[in-house]
Amino acid sequence: MAVVAPGKRSLGACQLGAGGSQRAVRNSEARPRFVEGSIVRIFMENFLTYDVCEVRPGPNLNMIVGANGTGKSSIVCAICLGLAGKPSFIGRADKVGLFVKQGCLKGVVEIELSKTPDNIIITREIQVVNNTSAWFINRKPTTLKTVEEQIAALNIQVDNLCQFLPQDKVGEFAKLSKIELLEATEKSIGPPEMYQFHCELKNFREKERELENLCRDKTNSLEKMKQRIERYKQDVERYHERKRHLDLIEMLERKRPWVEYENVRQQHEEVKQSRDQAKEELKNLKEMQSPVTKKIQETEEYFKSLDMKIRDKAAEIKDISQKCKQKQDALEMKDKQIEEIHQALRMKKDEEMDRQRKIHNTHKMIEDWKNELNTMEVCENLQPQTDAVNNELKKLQEERANIDSDISDLTAEKMNQEREKKRISDRLGQLNNIMNMKEENLKGRFRDTHSALVWLRKNKDKFKKKVCEPMMLEINMKDNRHAKYVENHISANDMRAFVFESQEDMEMFLVEMRDHQKLRVNAVCAPAESCAESLPLRPIEELHRYGFFSYLRELFDAPHPVMSYLCSQYRVHDVPVGTEKTRNMIERVIQETKLRQIYTAEEKYIVKVSAYTNLTLSTNTSLRGAQFLTSSVDTDERRQLENQAQDINNMLESLDMRLTTLFERQKHLERRDNELRQQKKELLERGNRRRQLESKIGVKYDSLRQLEQDAINLEKESEQANVKIKEINTQKARLVTELMHLIKNCVSLNILKADLVLQSTTVAAEKNRLESEYKAASIQLRAAEQQFRELDDKKRVLTENCKELLKKARQVCKLSPDQYLPKEFQTAFQALPTTLEEIDAFLNEEKTRASCFTGLNASVVEEYNKQTQEIQQLTEYLEEKKNELDNYKQNISQVKERWLNPLKKLIEQINEKFSNFFSSMQCVGEVDLHVENEEEYDKYGIRIRVKFHSSTELHELTPYHQSGGEKSVSTMLYLMALQELNRCPFRVVDEINQGMDPMNERRVFEMVVKTACKESTSQYFFITPKLLQNLTYNDKMTVLFVYNGPFMLEANKWNLKAFCRRRRRLGRMDEQ
């Protein structure tokens, strides 16, 4: 019995042989036989729960026994991590640093592996800080890759569940698929080349599939290309046929310009002859027309002389006629003078008759007034009555003056009041325009809210209490610059909400809007107890030193319900507004004022106190620009204006009533004034009538004397008129004599003029005859000239056409200007039609035939040649790939034979041992090679089928069908079956017996001992927290007990020899 390792946290561990034999010294002479790669020593420092621990396992079966939590699985973790395993293989943690003992910065795991001639010591230092590891081989630094190569060379596979089965991975063994189990078995017990052959087969099969698919695709492509080239072959033949037509078209198009040239040249010769004939005829016509032209010129000169004489006579006649007209006008003027004299005389007579009539009327009027004067009595005394009327008139005028003054004052006051009313009305109109703008803004943004507003204004009588319109209409900023604070403080939903004083009114409104009219509107109810006058927690003056200038409530006006709601819901009466100064000292403001909401010039701060840490937390957001309240109405001003307007209306009504009373009084005084004035007039008339009559009679006598002095002598006036008429008649006689003389001269001149006109007419007729003859000759001459010009132009055009056509014909045939038509062209042209009509018909026919070959060009031939070449290349490539595919199939056949036969033998051996193990337990178990498709090598797998009860059939081992104990037994027996065949140096199984019943656990334990203690088997670690009583043990077993506790002996004080001696002594005492 020998000491193996110090314990964890001053805990102990020991190694005991089943027979009690000592194993104190393991030198080179008495060294047990370890399979190469077996674990000789395990050293742990600051690893999981161990401070320092060293374990020396035996070469065969190692039973690690200890209660739960003592550190058995820590040894398994040390084996895995010390042999380059990953934490995920263990299933406990994902970082290697977590395996270092808590409170330590570094842990060490050291594994000594058996190897000839010298053992290998692999050390892993784990750093907690950066979760890294340092590797050493035989105490010399190395790399992880080198460690992995050394471990792989010893066929150690800590990631293979068939070799290394930690506690947390026991359940995963049953979850291995058949394919995974096959690969794990191959790696674990198969020869090294078996898994390699399997991988090669899978790769070969994958490549074979790729080559088969490639050959199939290329074969299909080749077939399609051959079909396509057959179509191209037809197109190539059609292309050559089309080219023959195009060559003929080209030759026809070359001959056509020469034929056109020859036709135009012949036309040119014909036109040239016609032009020469026209030129000769034109010359003859010009010679015949020359005498006629001379005679016309002579007649024209004679006609012009006659016309000059006629114009002279006409001028003389016109002059004499003008003089006759003047004489006639003078005679008419004399007649008018005589008529004027007669008219003046008649007017004198009428004037005298009118004077006589006036004198008669005046005498009659004087007589009537005298008679009235004689009949009028002596004037009575009317002065008292007149004075009384005057006094009353004076009082009445004074009263009227007072009334007029009052009316003037009241009218001026009324005008002033009306001007003030107009001013107030205009200002109210401006304020209403601002409200209209706000309503338009509401309508544009929230159409449903505006529709609800229109309905509300028409149905206000349906509500019991006051209903306020949406807040964005009711709130009026005192300064528009502060609108952004209010809008950032009040939510947009409340900005468009209606405010009610009654909950019942609000519910009725929402039912109407939302349910009946389907409008999306918001509504709120003001608190029953008004909060509009709520006071802030501190006066604003206390906050001035922090830059605050007002609370939110003081920045705007709103109806009482709206203000009450905002104070209750948003506490606008207790939220201060600051300036940039507030922003600059915001931390101090938050700490000293304990305010929960703060506004600075451009930001909003919300302050909260954590309920857990009591720390003050603040968040700030930038203020949005105002959208709803930028247009505000000064409600105080509006209220004052409305009150002033009402006062003015009352004043105007009072003034109208007073003016109406004054106007009625004024009318009454005017009527009384008229009555008094009429009385006064009558009294005055009664007193002044005699004086008036006497005065009138005197005036009429004066008028009568004047009329008598203005008498007219009609006889004298008549004589003077006759003298004037006689003198005028003498002047008329003289004018008539002069007029007759002028008429005679005018008649003689007209006779001469008529003679000249007759001569001129004769000459004009002759002239017209000659001109007609000349015109006819000129027309003939112009026709000849026109014909000559046309023929000359035609000749010139044909000459140019001949040159152009000749040039075009040479260009079409690609000839130089001085080169003649080659013989090959002449020979080719002879076989073609000779006229343009025939050429055009033939050309159209050939073009029609060529057009039938559509979609063809030179690329068809190129594509045909290209496709032919590609087919050849593809055929060669396909042949090459088919050869490669045959080689792969041959390789697969060879590798398959080298892999499958040994694999089948191996599985048969596993099955034999597995079946024997199950038979010894009165159960049935089989292991076979599962193949779905012999060609699909990646689908090969090992199938385990078990039967634990005689009444059932064999079932495949799955994670779900068998119980936990049955899966553990199956797993353990499969691993046992691998044990004797295993080429791995050691196997680890951690607490696999936990789910077994006692009978199965005992049977499995006996099999493990029997199998793992054979000479030919490799090292085996079996970890369990407990063992059944009266188990069968073997001398080759090594039992490692793991203890812990506060009274454990320190490892450096443990003496295994003394413990054994004491144990034997106690045993002898018991025997006695």
Side-chain angles (χ1 to χ4, degrees):
M1 193 173 293
V3 175
V4 176
K8 57 178 181 178
R9 296 191 306 275
S10 71
L11 305 181
C14 69
Q15 179 177 4
L16 295 177
S21 62
Q22 290 189 6
R23 294 178 186 172
V25 181
R26 288 195 177 122
N27 51 29
S28 58
E29 296 177 357
R31 181 177 181 180
R33 188 198 62 79
F34 281 90
V35 175
E36 187 165 307
S38 298
I39 298 175
V40 176
R41 180 175 59 88
I42 305 170
F43 174 78
M44 297 169 284
E45 181 180 355
N46 296 329
F47 184 80
L48 289 175
T49 55
Y50 289 105
D51 294 325
V52 176
C53 180
E54 185 177 76
V55 179
R56 292 184 178 271
N60 298 107
L61 176 60
N62 291 275
M63 299 289 295
I64 302 177
V65 184
N68 289 329
T70 55
K72 303 184 302 299
S73 296
S74 298
I75 299 173
V76 177
C77 295
I79 295 173
C80 178
L81 297 180
L83 296 178
K86 298 179 181 178
S88 59
F89 296 164
I90 305 170
R92 285 200 171 188
D94 57 348
K95 294 180 181 179
V96 70
L98 298 175
F99 289 87
V100 177
K101 184 177 181 181
Q102 189 173 4
C104 299
L105 298 177
K106 183 179 76 171
V108 178
V109 174
E110 188 172 275
I111 307 292
E112 183 178 350
L113 300 176
S114 174
K115 188 176 182 183
T116 305
D118 297 317
N119 292 349
I120 297 176
I121 299 174
I122 298 175
T123 306
R124 181 175 188 172
E125 292 184 358
I126 303 171
Q127 302 292 336
V128 176
V129 176
N130 50 10
N131 200 46
T132 59
S133 298
W135 293 91
F136 302 87
I137 295 180
N138 296 329
R139 308 292 195 276
K140 295 180 181 179
T142 187
T143 62
L144 173 61
K145 185 176 181 182
T146 304
V147 173
E148 290 175 342
E149 291 173 353
Q150 290 283 349
I151 291 171
L154 295 172
N155 198 31
I156 297 174
Q157 305 167 20
V158 294
D159 59 340
N160 189 340
L161 295 182
C162 289
Q163 179 178 348
F164 192 90
L165 191 62
Q167 178 181 352
D168 295 321
K169 294 288 185 175
V170 171
E172 292 190 10
F173 185 87
K175 296 180 183 177
L176 289 177
S177 66
K178 294 185 282 292
I179 299 170
E180 293 172 338
L181 183 59
L182 174 61
E183 292 180 355
T185 303
E186 287 177 332
K187 293 177 184 178
S188 179
I189 66 171
E193 66 274 7
M194 178 177 287
Y195 181 70
Q196 182 181 353
F197 286 156
H198 191 182
C199 293
E200 288 180 2
L201 279 174
K202 289 190 286 187
N203 294 333
F204 285 160
R205 178 54 186 159
E206 182 65 26
K207 191 65 177 178
E208 182 186 22
R209 276 198 295 267
E210 292 177 2
L211 287 173
E212 287 175 349
N213 294 334
L214 178 63
C215 291
R216 184 167 54 255
D217 294 342
K218 293 300 181 183
T219 302
N220 294 336
S221 300
L222 182 61
E223 186 62 29
K224 290 179 181 177
M225 291 176 69
K226 288 181 178 179
Q227 294 174 2
R228 195 181 306 120
I229 202 170
E230 284 298 321
R231 292 196 297 271
Y232 281 149
K233 187 175 181 180
Q234 298 174 7
D235 292 341
V236 169
E237 292 175 355
R238 294 174 67 239
Y239 172 77
H240 289 305
E241 179 68 20
R242 178 175 177 271
K243 193 171 187 310
R244 285 193 293 275
H245 289 295
L246 293 177
D247 292 341
L248 183 57
I249 290 170
E250 183 180 4
M251 191 56 68
L252 287 169
E253 289 177 343
R254 285 179 175 176
K255 181 176 181 180
R256 193 178 189 285
W258 290 100
V259 175
E260 286 181 341
Y261 165 70
E262 185 61 27
N263 292 342
V264 174
R265 190 187 65 77
Q266 291 177 3
Q267 292 178 15
H268 177 267
E269 293 300 328
E270 293 173 359
V271 170
K272 183 178 179 183
Q273 293 177 3
S274 300
R275 171 183 170 278
D276 294 340
Q277 292 176 2
K279 186 176 182 181
E280 188 65 26
E281 291 177 1
L282 181 62
K283 183 179 179 183
N284 295 334
L285 287 172
K286 286 183 178 180
E287 291 176 353
M288 291 172 61
Q289 196 175 18
S290 181
V292 178
T293 304
K294 185 176 180 182
K295 192 170 183 179
I296 289 174
Q297 290 177 353
E298 293 174 354
T299 305
E300 181 71 24
E301 291 177 358
Y302 182 56
F303 178 77
K304 287 181 180 179
S305 64
L306 288 175
D307 187 55
M308 184 64 70
K309 291 178 180 180
I310 290 171
R311 282 200 294 273
D312 293 341
K313 294 300 180 183
E316 291 180 4
I317 292 171
K318 183 178 180 181
D319 185 50
I320 292 173
S321 297
Q322 186 69 27
K323 292 180 179 178
C324 289
K325 181 69 170 61
Q326 291 176 356
K327 298 300 181 182
Q328 288 175 351
D329 292 341
L331 285 172
E332 290 177 359
M333 182 61 68
K334 296 302 179 182
D335 290 337
K336 288 182 179 180
Q337 289 177 356
I338 293 172
E339 181 62 30
E340 288 175 356
I341 292 171
H342 287 303
Q343 182 67 24
L345 183 61
R346 283 195 297 274
M347 289 177 66
K348 292 290 184 180
K349 289 180 179 180
D350 292 339
E351 185 178 351
E352 179 61 20
M353 291 176 65
D354 184 58
R355 187 184 67 80
Q356 291 294 335
R357 187 170 56 255
K358 286 182 179 180
I359 291 171
H360 175 72
N361 292 334
T362 302
H363 280 298
K364 185 178 179 181
M365 191 177 294
I366 290 171
E367 186 67 23
D368 291 339
W369 283 346
K370 285 182 177 180
N371 293 333
E372 183 181 355
L373 189 61
N374 292 330
T375 59
M376 186 176 294
E377 298 179 355
V378 181
C379 181
E380 64 223 84
N381 187 9
L382 299 175
Q383 190 60 38
Q385 297 180 19
T386 303
D387 292 342
V389 170
N390 286 335
N391 291 333
E392 190 173 355
L393 277 172
K394 184 177 179 181
K395 293 179 181 179
L396 191 142
Q397 287 173 355
E398 290 177 356
E399 186 176 357
R400 285 186 64 189
N402 293 333
I403 291 174
D404 290 340
S405 176
D406 291 343
I407 290 175
S408 177
D409 293 342
L410 291 175
T411 303
E413 179 65 19
K414 181 179 179 181
M415 291 175 64
N416 291 335
Q417 293 295 332
E418 287 177 345
R419 281 196 297 270
E420 182 65 15
K421 180 180 179 181
K422 185 177 183 305
R423 182 189 69 79
I424 292 172
S425 177
D426 292 342
R427 179 56 182 161
L428 285 173
Q430 294 175 359
L431 297 179
N432 289 332
N433 287 337
I434 296 174
M435 290 299 296
N436 292 336
M437 289 170 59
K438 294 176 72 174
E439 284 189 29
E440 288 298 322
N441 188 14
L442 175 67
K443 183 178 180 181
R445 292 176 179 271
F446 312 109
R447 186 170 295 276
D448 286 1
T449 304
H450 184 267
S451 301
L453 175 65
V454 174
W455 182 90
L456 175 65
R457 290 176 175 174
K458 295 178 180 179
N459 298 274
K460 282 193 174 182
D461 56 334
K462 295 183 178 181
F463 299 97
K464 297 178 180 179
K465 292 187 179 182
K466 182 178 180 180
V467 180
C468 294
E469 296 180 355
M471 292 188 195
M472 62 181 291
L473 299 181
E474 297 286 9
I475 294 175
N476 288 292
M477 300 304 302
K478 296 179 180 179
D479 188 336
N480 291 340
R481 293 175 300 176
H482 299 151
K484 60 184 178 181
Y485 302 120
V486 178
E487 289 196 23
N488 278 272
H489 194 70
I490 302 172
S491 69
N493 287 334
D494 279 354
M495 287 296 290
R496 59 191 178 97
F498 295 83
V499 182
F500 292 80
E501 287 187 329
S502 169
Q503 183 73 23
E504 183 181 351
D505 288 346
M506 184 180 74
E507 292 174 358
M508 185 269 285
F509 174 78
L510 291 177
V511 168
E512 174 65 28
M513 293 299 104
R514 294 178 178 175
D515 298 343
H516 297 166
Q517 300 193 23
K518 307 300 181 183
L519 298 178
R520 293 179 295 176
V521 298
N522 294 338
V524 297
C525 187
E529 185 177 348
S530 175
C531 301
E533 305 300 329
S534 300
L535 296 177
L537 296 178
R538 69 194 81 185
I540 191 63
E541 290 77 15
E542 293 183 8
L543 301 178
H544 283 170
R545 58 196 177 101
Y546 300 111
F548 294 106
F549 61 88
S550 175
Y551 285 109
L552 276 178
R553 183 176 62 184
E554 277 63 49
L555 299 180
F556 64 92
D557 291 320
H560 192 273
V562 175
M563 187 65 77
S564 178
Y565 175 78
L566 293 178
C567 289
S568 171
Q569 188 70 23
Y570 291 96
R571 298 191 61 79
V572 294
H573 63 284
D574 203 29
V575 177
V577 181
T579 60
E580 194 62 31
K581 176 182 176 181
T582 311
R583 172 67 183 85
N584 295 334
M585 55 188 304
I586 189 63
E587 293 183 0
R588 178 185 166 192
V589 172
I590 292 173
Q591 292 176 359
E592 296 182 3
T593 62
K594 307 299 181 181
L595 292 169
R596 292 294 175 260
Q597 293 190 68
I598 299 171
Y599 284 90
T600 63
E602 297 296 335
E603 292 178 327
K604 174 183 179 181
Y605 287 83
I606 298 176
V607 182
K608 295 181 179 179
V609 178
S610 173
Y612 300 100
T613 62
N614 204 29
L615 295 176
T616 301
L617 306 175
S618 66
T619 58
N620 65 308
T621 55
S622 298
L623 298 181
R624 304 185 308 274
Q627 298 178 344
F628 308 117
L629 305 178
T630 52
S631 301
S632 297
V633 177
D634 189 340
T635 53
D636 291 339
E637 180 186 3
R638 183 174 181 177
R639 196 177 303 109
Q640 291 176 3
L641 291 173
E642 290 175 348
N643 294 335
Q644 290 177 9
Q646 185 63 36
D647 294 342
I648 289 173
N649 288 332
N650 296 335
M651 178 65 74
L652 288 174
E653 290 179 2
S654 175
L655 291 174
D656 287 339
M657 292 175 61
R658 292 172 61 187
L659 283 172
T660 301
T661 304
L662 290 175
F663 282 138
E664 291 177 355
R665 180 61 179 168
Q666 188 182 42
K667 289 179 182 179
H668 173 73
L669 293 177
E670 284 179 356
R671 289 195 298 271
R672 181 59 182 164
D673 182 82
N674 292 334
E675 292 175 356
L676 293 174
R677 289 183 183 279
Q678 186 63 32
Q679 290 180 11
K680 181 179 179 181
K681 182 179 179 182
E682 291 175 355
L683 291 173
L684 291 175
E685 286 178 352
R686 286 170 59 189
N688 296 332
R689 183 59 180 169
R690 176 179 289 277
R691 289 192 297 272
Q692 287 177 356
L693 289 175
E694 291 174 352
S695 176
K696 287 180 179 180
I697 290 170
V699 171
K700 288 300 181 182
Y701 273 123
D702 292 338
S703 176
L704 186 60
R705 284 193 294 272
Q706 184 64 37
L707 288 172
E708 290 174 349
Q709 290 175 2
D710 294 337
I712 298 173
N713 190 349
L714 293 177
E715 292 180 358
K716 184 179 178 181
E717 292 292 332
S718 179
E719 289 176 358
Q720 290 176 355
N722 289 332
V723 171
K724 291 179 180 179
I725 291 170
K726 185 177 180 180
E727 184 179 353
I728 291 171
N729 284 332
T730 301
Q731 294 174 0
K732 283 178 67 178
R734 187 169 57 254
L735 289 172
V736 170
T737 302
E738 293 174 355
L739 179 61
M740 292 301 295
H741 179 68
L742 291 172
I743 291 172
K744 289 179 181 180
N745 290 337
C746 185
V747 170
S748 62
L749 289 173
N750 280 322
I751 292 171
L752 292 173
K753 179 184 176 185
D755 184 48
L756 290 172
V757 169
L758 289 173
Q759 293 180 23
S760 176
T761 304
T762 304
V763 173
E766 180 65 18
K767 175 174 174 273
N768 290 335
R769 185 183 64 76
L770 292 173
E771 286 178 348
S772 298
E773 293 177 356
Y774 179 79
K775 185 175 181 181
S778 297
I779 291 172
Q780 188 177 0
L781 180 62
R782 282 196 297 275
E785 288 177 346
Q786 181 66 24
Q787 184 180 6
F788 172 75
R789 281 195 297 272
E790 289 177 354
L791 291 172
D792 189 56
D793 292 341
K794 190 173 182 181
K795 171 183 171 294
R796 186 166 56 255
V797 170
L798 289 172
T799 301
E800 294 295 329
N801 288 345
C802 284
K803 292 180 181 179
E804 289 295 329
L805 290 172
L806 180 60
K807 181 179 178 181
K808 179 180 178 183
R810 291 180 183 277
Q811 288 177 349
V812 170
C813 294
K814 299 180 181 179
L815 301 176
S816 62
D818 55 350
Q819 186 178 1
Y820 293 103
L821 189 66
K823 289 184 179 180
E824 59 269 18
F825 283 144
Q826 295 179 8
T827 304
F829 288 170
Q830 288 177 359
L832 300 176
T834 56
T835 65
L836 285 176
E837 291 77 8
E838 293 174 345
I839 290 175
D840 288 340
F842 197 16
L843 192 60
N844 288 334
E845 182 181 352
E846 290 300 315
K847 286 183 177 179
T848 302
R849 290 179 178 177
S851 65
C852 294
F853 301 94
T854 57
L856 299 175
N857 50 43
S859 63
V860 174
V861 179
E862 295 177 3
E863 187 65 25
Y864 177 79
N865 296 332
K866 181 181 176 182
Q867 289 288 334
T868 303
Q869 185 178 1
E870 288 180 357
I871 287 174
Q872 183 178 356
Q873 293 175 354
L874 185 57
T875 303
E876 295 174 356
Y877 178 77
L878 185 59
E879 187 65 28
E880 178 185 347
K881 291 301 177 183
K882 284 182 178 179
N883 293 333
E884 186 178 351
L885 178 60
D886 292 338
N887 293 334
Y888 267 104
K889 287 183 177 180
Q890 186 176 358
N891 292 336
I892 288 173
S893 178
Q894 295 174 356
V895 174
K896 179 179 179 182
E897 184 178 354
R898 296 168 63 187
W899 169 73
L900 188 57
N901 293 335
L903 177 62
K904 288 181 177 178
K905 292 180 181 179
L906 182 63
I907 293 177
E908 287 176 0
Q909 294 174 2
I910 296 172
N911 181 50
E912 181 182 356
K913 295 184 178 299
F914 188 74
S915 298
N916 291 336
F917 289 149
F918 264 83
S919 297
S920 65
M921 296 176 61
Q922 288 80 42
C923 299
V924 180
E926 291 182 359
V927 176
D928 61 0
L929 183 63
H930 179 75
V931 181
E932 293 180 359
N933 184 346
E934 289 189 359
E935 303 299 326
E936 299 297 332
Y937 303 106
D938 56 344
K939 301 295 177 62
Y940 276 63
I942 289 179
R943 179 174 60 179
I944 301 175
R945 295 190 298 166
V946 295
K947 182 175 75 169
F948 287 91
H949 306 285
S950 59
S951 60
T952 60
E953 296 180 355
L954 282 171
H955 287 285
E956 185 176 344
L957 180 64
T958 64
Y960 316 107
H961 191 272
Q962 287 79 18
S963 66
E966 291 173 344
K967 286 187 286 186
S968 298
V969 170
S970 301
T971 302
M972 194 66 186
L973 294 183
Y974 184 80
L975 296 178
M976 288 295 101
L978 301 182
Q979 180 67 17
E980 293 183 1
L981 304 174
N982 197 359
R983 64 182 182 87
C984 64
F986 65 87
R987 176 172 283 104
V988 177
V989 179
D990 187 2
E991 296 191 15
I992 197 171
N993 58 335
Q994 290 305 296
M996 301 181 189
D997 57 72
M999 182 180 295
N1000 286 335
E1001 184 178 353
R1002 184 176 297 277
R1003 290 174 179 175
V1004 168
F1005 182 82
E1006 291 176 353
M1007 293 178 193
V1008 170
V1009 172
K1010 181 179 179 181
T1011 303
C1013 292
K1014 291 181 180 180
E1015 289 292 337
S1016 59
T1017 59
S1018 58
Q1019 192 178 37
Y1020 198 101
F1021 290 89
F1022 186 85
I1023 294 90
T1024 178
K1026 62 181 179 62
L1027 289 173
L1028 298 175
Q1029 294 180 358
N1030 301 319
L1031 292 175
T1032 302
Y1033 296 94
N1034 191 291
D1035 290 343
K1036 294 181 180 180
M1037 288 177 58
T1038 299
V1039 180
L1040 299 172
F1041 291 97
V1042 183
Y1043 294 98
N1044 66 5
F1047 304 106
M1048 286 295 298
L1049 186 67
E1050 293 181 9
N1052 56 2
K1053 297 181 181 180
W1054 174 258
N1055 189 326
L1056 182 59
K1057 292 181 179 180
F1059 175 79
C1060 291
R1061 286 195 300 270
R1062 187 165 56 253
R1063 184 70 186 88
R1064 285 195 291 271
R1065 185 171 59 252
L1066 292 175
R1068 288 195 295 270
M1069 292 174 62
D1070 291 337
E1071 291 176 359
Q1072 293 175 359

